[in-house]
Amino acid sequence: MARPDKAAAVAELKDKFTNSAGAVLTEYRGLTVAQLKELRRNLGEDATYAVSKNTLTKIAAREAGVEGVEEHLVGPTAIAFVDGDPVTVAKGLRDFAKANPLLVIKGGVLEGKFLSVDEVKKLADLESREVLLAKLAGAMQGTLQNAVSLFAAPLSQAARAVAALEKAATEDPSLIGGAGTPAAAEGNQEPSNEELAAAPAATESDDAATAAEDK
């Protein structure tokens, strides 16, 4: 490769190390072209997977300020530069490696820090951003539903109480007009029990007054 081409390749790799969300180093020795195409298809838009020369990658990583990469740049190397969710990319590489053992994960880079193979696997075990967002949305929806139920409960209870009162008032209007039985017309009002009990005493007093006048 001519020197200008090498400089351009280093500049491109440096840009990817700097601007990508992360990167995963792999060894692809023994994988067929068809298998590599399948891997790229599985990663989709979340990552750019490309073969890289170790010498150029070392220079690019050094210029990008990424440490810990050089010692893992041994043998045929292909790098998955993360354009989307790092967890999704780690999962995709891990799952592909399980089905195709010739793909070997060497390590990775996340936010400028080098990740060991075990750390990449732990990253793959995390839930993806989409799953976390879905869970968050479900939790928020449940909270909102609980809030709606909380605010609606007193209103529904009040509505039931009003309906019950209307039904009772229809059957017994006195519940709205006042306590006790409805007041009778003034001219037809019947004496109460207390008035009936006091009536004889009043008659005796009138008879005594009449006798005193006769004397």
Side-chain angles (χ1 to χ4, degrees):
M1 181 182 295
R3 185 172 297 277
D5 292 337
K6 289 183 179 180
V10 169
E12 183 179 358
L13 287 169
K14 176 185 175 182
D15 181 70
K16 288 184 176 296
F17 273 119
T18 303
N19 297 318
S20 296
V24 180
L25 309 179
T26 68
E27 181 176 325
Y28 64 95
R29 191 196 308 268
L31 292 177
T32 65
V33 174
Q35 289 172 322
L36 291 176
K37 286 184 177 179
E38 179 185 356
L39 175 56
R40 291 188 179 96
R41 185 170 56 252
N42 291 344
L43 295 176
E45 297 180 354
D46 286 306
T48 301
Y49 187 77
V51 175
S52 175
K53 289 186 173 295
N54 292 335
T55 54
L56 302 181
T57 303
K58 290 178 181 179
I59 297 172
R62 193 180 305 122
E63 291 183 358
V66 179
E67 299 179 355
V69 171
E70 295 187 21
E71 60 184 284
H72 298 279
L73 293 175
V74 179
T77 302
I79 305 176
F81 286 102
V82 181
D83 301 319
D85 186 0
V87 175
T88 302
V89 175
K91 286 181 185 295
L93 291 170
R94 178 200 60 188
D95 295 343
F96 187 87
K98 286 181 179 180
N100 302 271
L102 291 178
L103 180 71
V104 179
I105 297 176
K106 299 181 178 182
V109 178
L110 185 62
E111 297 181 353
K113 297 180 180 179
F114 185 79
L115 301 179
S116 65
V117 176
D118 290 337
E119 288 173 329
V120 173
K121 291 180 179 179
K122 289 180 180 179
L123 181 65
D125 291 334
L126 298 177
E127 292 180 328
S128 66
R129 178 172 53 194
E130 286 74 13
V131 173
L132 292 175
L133 289 175
K135 287 188 175 183
L136 177 61
M140 291 179 64
Q141 183 178 9
T143 302
L144 290 174
Q145 288 177 345
N146 291 338
V148 169
S149 300
L150 178 63
F151 288 117
L155 296 177
S156 60
Q157 292 173 2
R160 287 195 296 269
V162 171
L165 179 59
E166 289 178 349
K167 181 179 179 182
T170 301
E171 297 174 354
D172 186 359
S174 65
L175 293 177
I176 297 178
T181 58
E186 185 176 349
N188 298 325
Q189 184 175 3
E190 297 181 0
S192 64
N193 293 334
E194 289 79 8
E195 291 173 337
L196 291 174
T203 302
E204 292 176 0
S205 298
D206 292 342
D207 292 342
T210 303
E213 291 176 356
D214 291 341
K215 292 180 179 181

